[in-house]
């Protein structure tokens, strides 16, 4: 079990951390630009974000993933899964960042900088972006949840019936916390204490909770650091 | 010296003489007896005891090798289903060599050292009597009242079974080979030197004696007055029982070490080169042959095969146990056990439920006869490489091992289990397969030959026999012994012609291509499709039938109840309504025609508005046509079609077009437009097909032509499923949302008012944990805790579509207002409907189930909701109005619930709008895992079942249409509309938000 969890760690860091960091970066930049520029970019970003946010994350990831999975060679599927997740998650960062950026853009120090002749790119990078980042730290733990939800629920459901769907899932072939947890809960869970093999699900769960708590604390810390408290 | 029973007070040393006498006997015994095995019986005492050998008549006997003189190894007893040791008794004299033989409650067994024991098997193997019978007993046979014993010095002895006294003893030319067969007062034996002898049981006088032509090491078998045996030279002989004359002989080509088994007109022999050969018993013609070396090279057979239940079971020397078809010799299953290196001399035993075998000479194995699954196995101490065969009786198997012990394995004190077997036929006598036979909680399905088997303890049972489209039969069965021929005749449901027409309810014209289905009693179903004039003819079951019509594309379905009163019914007219959004099927969904008009209309609208604005500006009025609020509503409402279009395009490209193209399917099948084939080399064609396919997709989406969805045994039009289950989901959503808000509202306010208070920290921790612990574990934990109290209070499981069959049975059967998919009528909301029908039990159960599910949803969703509420609530509480109220000295409570509470409502609405997708996810998951009726269940099961072919693309009729695209579209529509409503309502309540929105 420990061996499985340890071997799973790099996969999980990549599979969960990668998309979130990517989505954070894309979301923050697009959100800030949209908030500052208020023009066609704003309309496009807001529209796209509204559409994506309108669909429950786990449904959307499967529509997209199942749509293109057959076009992707098997070794690349993990990467594509991560990229698709990033593609779905960025609006969750862009929307609150944009909302805050519109406020920040009207702050006096931004006005001052604009009056001093700063170009827009510098304006965004130096002033608006750093001051609009706070909301993304509230979102990151939620996305850790979203990703583990997908990684856990489907292997869990599939554990009761060999659905064709699972053959194309990216993470069933190697140790991965969510997968380990799903299989552990499926095969190990019982309400009877004698046959409840609790370690099969307790340790993967602990790994996920520890990771999530870590992300949550890190985000709170980053939030406080940026807001100067 | 543990042999002597000095502690017995009756014979304790009262006088010196008695003590000396006992000591003398003890010394004599210790000189003659070899060291005894474990817990050897007190021989001295036993020898003085004389008990009548009698037992309950219910105990079946096992009085000869292989259970019967035909050596078939078959018995009507079922044998033990568990390997509990009932008792173990170790004999003086080492390995068990003759027996165990069972008659009534008595067990006879003789050890290598020449001690014969009678044990009581119902009394823990207590020794009834024992005696010495001379060196090396090789075989035994019980023919009341005598126990016949062959010994290795070539003598044959008869001992009275009741007390062990010797009746007669006679010398043969050579020792008896393996077994004695008795019929009609005559005993038949083959000797190791190759002589076949017959003599009278009563006094041992000879009847006839003939040479077999070669040494024999296996027993003779007796069937219908003919003696069968096989010699070590590989010949199989059939001799007349009356005078020993040859009936036929045949050669199997290799040495045979065991007796032939004879049953059902077949002689089956296993030989030393691994062949199992079946010969016709009447003339010795070869019937089939199976080679054990096809499983393990160099395998051989030293034991008698067992014939029973239409199978032949063999145990090979290398530890394989194989079941063959008795008619064809085809293997049905085989199992491997450890190979001890000894040849296996004990043949297997076939019972109606199991094959028992001394596999590999050391493992006693019980294998399910029908499946070949191992039931249990146990390793015997010292193995049983000897000739002490298995004896099976009732629920026990008795076996002797090489350590000298007799073991009785079986159920401790449980009831005797009897085989119950029978056949189901139709009135013409033809066997009926796939019939469900139900006795108590046990269900079996009849095989192709209509046969079925049960294993039942004594008792009286009600047997239900049913099969689709046959009239159910219920019979009462009293089991007090084996039932071999329970014969059931099922009458088919009488069917009569039902004819009629499906018409358009508006125009009255006949509709071709409608699917018509009749569902009668006893699961009877017949289907057909209407002809071009709408006419249909099919066979309907007698009695009350349901006529289900699925209109052709563009028509809704219809269900009608039809009474078939034992005669044909004609002229049924079913009128189906056109569904509202019908696009004529002759007209393909031509996006290329619709789209330009749409673009032109939009441009015209834009120009018109612009003209209006400039005219207002010219007139000195503000150019805006609407109030700020109205403008906001209009803008938001206008955005929706664009968002919907984007989602549809996304669903089409990723759900239909890309998977279909990746699967290498003919792209032309994506659209209803006429094109033959279209490859990637022709980009124009691909673009056209893409557009047309999208049109088809939209058209089918709009007309409700969504293909089929399946859930469990149900396969129905997807729209039908939605109609059935949507109310169920809505009901759950209402309860769950109310519950979520009920929790989130006070928690968020209180924790914002007192930051860092225990409530605040707790709610923050709880919401983080709630996010990280996967929601299905939350669900499992809640159900685990709730299961006991729930089922105790309400008598049913907390999950499932409808109350379980058991619950319904105990509450007066399934009410007519519950449909086949667990859908209720008239409203579809289970709680509302059960109240409407005044079914309080159902209402309580449905409410409890809904509350439980809603509770879990709330647990999951509130964690997300709270996370986003916290900041928003704190900002709202910093609003000037609240600060002013506080400055006026109003109490915190008043401020909180009056000022802040009212101000907070728009915030709640906004946060709810943006977290609604997360809510949908939680509800879908909870529904799916609770296996309850609802869209979530359908959605997840559709995603899991049919990846990647895509709705809108259907290579053939009846193929699933991937409902998930439709469901996702509906969810998105719901999310967009609800979010719009929440946003508008929030701005209506708090117009200041309009300003924020414009910034």
């Amino acid at each position: 079990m420990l061996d499985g969890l340890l071997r799973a760690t790099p996969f999980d860091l990549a599979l969960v951390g990668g998309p979130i960091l990517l989505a954070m970066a894309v979301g923050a930049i697009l959100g800030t630009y949209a908030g500052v520029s208020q023009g066609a970019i704003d309309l496009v970003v807001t529209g796209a974000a509204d559409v994506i946010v309108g669909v429950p994350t786990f449904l959307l990831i499967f529509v997209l993933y199942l749509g293109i999975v057959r076009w992707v060679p098997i070794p690349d599927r993990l990467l594509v899964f991560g990229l698709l997740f990033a593609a779905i998650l960025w609006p969750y960062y862009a929307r609150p960042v944009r909302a805050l950026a519109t406020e920040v853009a009207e702050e006096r120090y931004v006005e001052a900088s604009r009056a001093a002749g700063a170009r827009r790119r510098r304006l965004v990078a130096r002033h608006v972006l750093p001051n609009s980042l706070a909301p993304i730290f509230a979102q990151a733990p939620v996305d850790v949840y979203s990703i583990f939800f997908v990684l856990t629920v489907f292997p869990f459901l599939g554990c009761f019936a060999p659905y064709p769907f699972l053959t194309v899932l990216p993470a069933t072939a190697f140790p991965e916390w969510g997968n380990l947890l799903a299989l552990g809960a499926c095969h190990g869970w019982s309400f009877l204490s004698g046959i409840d093999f609790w370690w099969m699900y307790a340790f993967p769960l602990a790994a996920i909770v520890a990771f999530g708590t870590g992300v949550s604390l890190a985000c709170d810390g980053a939030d406080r650091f940026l807001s100067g408290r | 010296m543990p042999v002597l029973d000095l502690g017995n007070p009756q014979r304790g040393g009262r006088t010196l003489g008695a003590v000396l006498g006992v000591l003398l006997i003890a010394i004599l015994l210790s000189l003659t007896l070899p060291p005894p095995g474990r817990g050897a019986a007190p021989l001295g005492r036993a020898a003085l005891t004389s008990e009548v050998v009698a037992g309950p008549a219910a105990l079946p006997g096992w009085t000869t090798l292989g259970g019967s003189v035909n050596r078939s190894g078959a018995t009507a007893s079922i044998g033990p289903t568990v390997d509990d040791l009932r008792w173990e008794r170790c004999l003086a004299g080492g390995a068990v060599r003759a027996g165990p033989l069972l008659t009534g409650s008595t067990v006879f067994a003789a050890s290598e050292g020449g001690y014969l024991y009678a044990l009581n098997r119902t009394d823990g193997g207590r020794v009834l009597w024992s005696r010495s019978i001379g060196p090396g007993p090789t075989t035994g046979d019980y023919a009341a009242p005598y126990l016949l014993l062959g010994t290795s010095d070539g003598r044959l002895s008869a001992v009275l079974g009741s007390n062990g006294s010797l009746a007669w003893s006679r010398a043969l030319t050579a020792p008896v080979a393996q077994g004695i067969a008795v019929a009609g007062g005559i005993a038949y034996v083959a000797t190791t030197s190759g002589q076949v002898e017959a003599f009278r049981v009563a006094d041992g006088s000879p009847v006839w004696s003939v040479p077999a032509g070669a040494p024999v090491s296996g027993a003779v078998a007796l069937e219908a007055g003919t003696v069968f045996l096989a010699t070590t030279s590989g010949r199989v002989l059939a001799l007349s029982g009356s005078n020993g004359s040859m009936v036929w002989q045949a050669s199997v080509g290799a040495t045979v070490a065991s007796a032939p088994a004879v049953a059902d007109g077949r002689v089956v022999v296993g030989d030393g080169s691994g062949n199992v050969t079946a010969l016709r018993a009447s003339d010795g013609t070869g019937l089939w042959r199976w080679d054990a070396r096809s499983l393990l090279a160099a395998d051989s057979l030293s034991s008698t095969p067992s014939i029973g239940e239409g199978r032949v079971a063999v145990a090979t020397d290398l530890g394989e146990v194989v079941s063959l078809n008795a008619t064809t010799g085809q293997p049905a299953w085989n199992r491997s056990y450890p190979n001890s290196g000894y040849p296996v001399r004990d043949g297997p035993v076939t019972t109606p439920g199991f094959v028992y075998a001394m596999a590999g000479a050391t493992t006693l194995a019980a294998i399910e006869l029908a499946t070949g699954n191992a039931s249990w196995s146990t390793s015997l101490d010292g193995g049983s490489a000897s000739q002490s065969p298995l004896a099976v009786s009732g629920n026990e198997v008795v076996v002797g091992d090489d350590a000298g012990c007799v073991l009785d394995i079986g159920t401790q004190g449980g009831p005797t289990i009897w085989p119950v077997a029978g056949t189901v036929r139709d009135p013409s006598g033809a066997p009926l397969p796939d019939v469900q036979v139900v006795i108590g909680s046990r269900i079996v399905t009849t095989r192709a030959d209509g046969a079925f088997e049960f294993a039942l303890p004594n008792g009286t049972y009600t047997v239900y026999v049913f099969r689709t489209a046959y009239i159910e039969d219920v019979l009462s069965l009293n089991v007090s012994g084996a039932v071999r021929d329970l014969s059931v005749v099922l009458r088919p449901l009488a069917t009569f012609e039902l004819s009629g027409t499906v018409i358009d309810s508006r125009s009255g014209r006949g509709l071709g291509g409608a699917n018509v289905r009749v569902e009668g009693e006893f699961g009877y179903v017949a289907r057909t499709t209407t002809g071009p004039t709408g006419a249909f003819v099919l066979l309907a079951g007698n009695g009350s039938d349901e006529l289900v019509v699925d209109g052709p594309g563009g028509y809704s379905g219809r269900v009608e109840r039809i009474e078939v009163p034992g005669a044909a019914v004609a002229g049924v007219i079913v009128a189906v309504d056109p569904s509202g959004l019908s696009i004529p099927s002759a007209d393909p969904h031509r996006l290329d025609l619709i789209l330009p008009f749409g673009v032109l209309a939009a441009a015209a609208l834009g120009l018109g508005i612009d003209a209006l604005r400039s005219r207002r500006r010219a007139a000195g009025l503000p150019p805006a046509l609407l109030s700020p609020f109205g403008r906001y509503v209009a803008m938001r409402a206008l955005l929706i079609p664009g968002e919907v279009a984007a989602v549809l395009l996304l669903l089409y490209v990723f759900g239909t077009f890309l998977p279909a193209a990746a699967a290498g399917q003919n792209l032309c099948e994506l659209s209803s437009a006429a094109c033959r084939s279209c490859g990637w080399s022709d980009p124009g064609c691909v673009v056209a097909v893409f557009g047309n396919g999208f049109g088809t997709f939209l058209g089918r989406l709009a007309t409700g032509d969504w293909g089929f969805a399946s859930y469990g045994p149900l396969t129905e039009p997807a729209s039908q499923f939605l109609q059935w289950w949507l109310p169920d989901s809505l009901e759950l959503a209402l309860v769950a949302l109310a519950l979520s808000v009920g929790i989130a509202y006070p928690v968020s306010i209180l924790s914002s008012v007192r930051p860092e208070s225990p409530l605040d920290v707790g709610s923050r921790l709880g919401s983080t944990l709630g996010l990280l612990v996967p929601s299905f574990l939350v669900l499992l934990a809640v159900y685990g805790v709730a299961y006991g109290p729930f089922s105790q209070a309400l008598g049913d499981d907390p999950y499932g579509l409808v109350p379980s069959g058991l619950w319904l049975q105990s509450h007066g059967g399934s009410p007519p207002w519950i449909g086949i998919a667990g859908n209720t009528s008239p409203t579809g909301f289970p709680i509302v409907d059960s109240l409407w029908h005044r079914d309080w039990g159902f209402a309580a159960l449905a409410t409890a189930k809904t509350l439980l599910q809603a509770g879990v949803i709330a647990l999951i969703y509130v964690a997300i909701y709270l996370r986003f509420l916290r900041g928003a609530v704190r900002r709202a509480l910093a609003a000037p109005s609240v600060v002013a109220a506080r400055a006026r000295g109003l109490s915190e409570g008043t401020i909180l619930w009056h000022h802040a509470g009212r101000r907070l409502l728009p915030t709640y609405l906004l946060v709810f709008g943006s977290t609604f997708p997360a809510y949908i996810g939680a509800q879908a998951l909870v529904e799916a895992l609770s296996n309850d009726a609802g869209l979530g269940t359908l959605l997840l099961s559709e995603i899991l079942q049919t990846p990647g072919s895509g709705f809108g693309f259907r290579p053939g009729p009846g193929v699933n249409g991937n409902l998930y695209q439709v469901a996702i579209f509906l969810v998105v529509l719901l999310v967009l509309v609800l979010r719009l409503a929440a946003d508008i309502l929030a701005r209506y309540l708090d117009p200041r938000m309009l300003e924020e929105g414009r910034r």
Side-chain angles (χ1 to χ4, degrees), chain B residues 181 183-188 196-200 205-210 221-228 238-247:
Chain B
I186 311 287
Y188 303 88
V196 186
E197 301 200 24
F199 50 87
R200 288 191 182 80
S205 59
V207 179
W208 53 258
S209 170
V210 297
L222 196 59
E223 172 82 357
T226 306
V227 176
F228 297 88
L239 308 175
S240 158
S242 53
N243 55 19
S245 62
M246 176 84 70
V247 178

Side-chain angles (χ1 to χ4, degrees), chain A residues 50 53 67 71 138 145 152 164 191, chain B residues 643 654 658 771 776 784 917 945:
Chain A
D50 270 4
V53 167
W71 297 87
Y145 157 81
T152 315
F191 303 131
Chain B
E643 290 175 341
F654 283 90
L658 286 177
L771 281 181
F776 73 91
Q945 278 176 19

Side-chain angles (χ1 to χ4, degrees), chain A residues 24-225:
Chain A
M24 268 185 179
V26 172
I29 293 169
L30 282 182
T32 317
Y33 260 103
V36 172
S37 66
Q38 303 264 319
I41 299 178
D42 187 25
L43 200 65
V44 170
V45 168
T46 318
D50 270 4
V51 169
I52 294 175
V53 167
V55 189
T57 318
F58 76 99
L59 293 181
L60 192 56
I61 185 80
F62 280 109
V63 174
L64 298 189
Y65 182 70
L66 291 177
I68 62 169
V69 68
R70 291 185 205 286
W71 297 87
V72 181
I74 289 170
D76 296 343
R77 287 185 180 175
L78 197 62
L79 180 70
V80 167
F81 192 71
L83 286 177
L84 283 180
F85 241 118
I88 289 173
L89 292 180
W90 69 263
Y92 292 88
Y93 299 93
R95 280 159 55 95
V97 167
R98 175 191 162 272
L100 194 57
T102 47
E103 285 178 27
V104 172
E106 291 180 8
E107 296 276 352
R108 277 181 214 134
Y109 57 85
V110 181
E111 291 284 342
S113 174
R114 194 177 284 149
R119 277 177 305 154
R120 194 161 79 177
R121 188 175 299 169
R122 180 180 163 75
L123 206 64
V124 168
R126 285 287 300 179
H127 299 287
V128 184
L129 185 62
N131 287 302
S132 310
L133 281 180
I136 71 173
F137 297 114
Q139 179 65 32
V142 180
D143 288 338
V144 173
Y145 157 81
S146 300
I147 298 180
F148 275 118
F149 180 93
V150 169
L151 291 175
T152 315
V153 166
F154 287 92
F156 180 73
L157 288 173
C159 159
F160 300 107
Y163 291 114
F165 168 80
L166 294 167
T167 56
V168 295
L169 209 65
T172 48
F174 52 85
E176 187 279 317
W177 293 340
N179 198 24
L180 286 173
L181 172 59
L183 296 181
C186 173
H187 298 296
W189 179 287
S190 169
F191 303 131
L192 308 172
S193 58
I195 52 166
D196 181 22
F197 307 125
W198 55 272
W199 59 91
M200 286 178 69
Y201 53 85
F203 290 119
L205 178 62
I208 292 175
V209 171
F211 180 67
T213 316
V215 170
S216 193
L217 288 176
C219 286
D220 282 0
D223 188 17
R224 282 176 199 210
F225 173 76

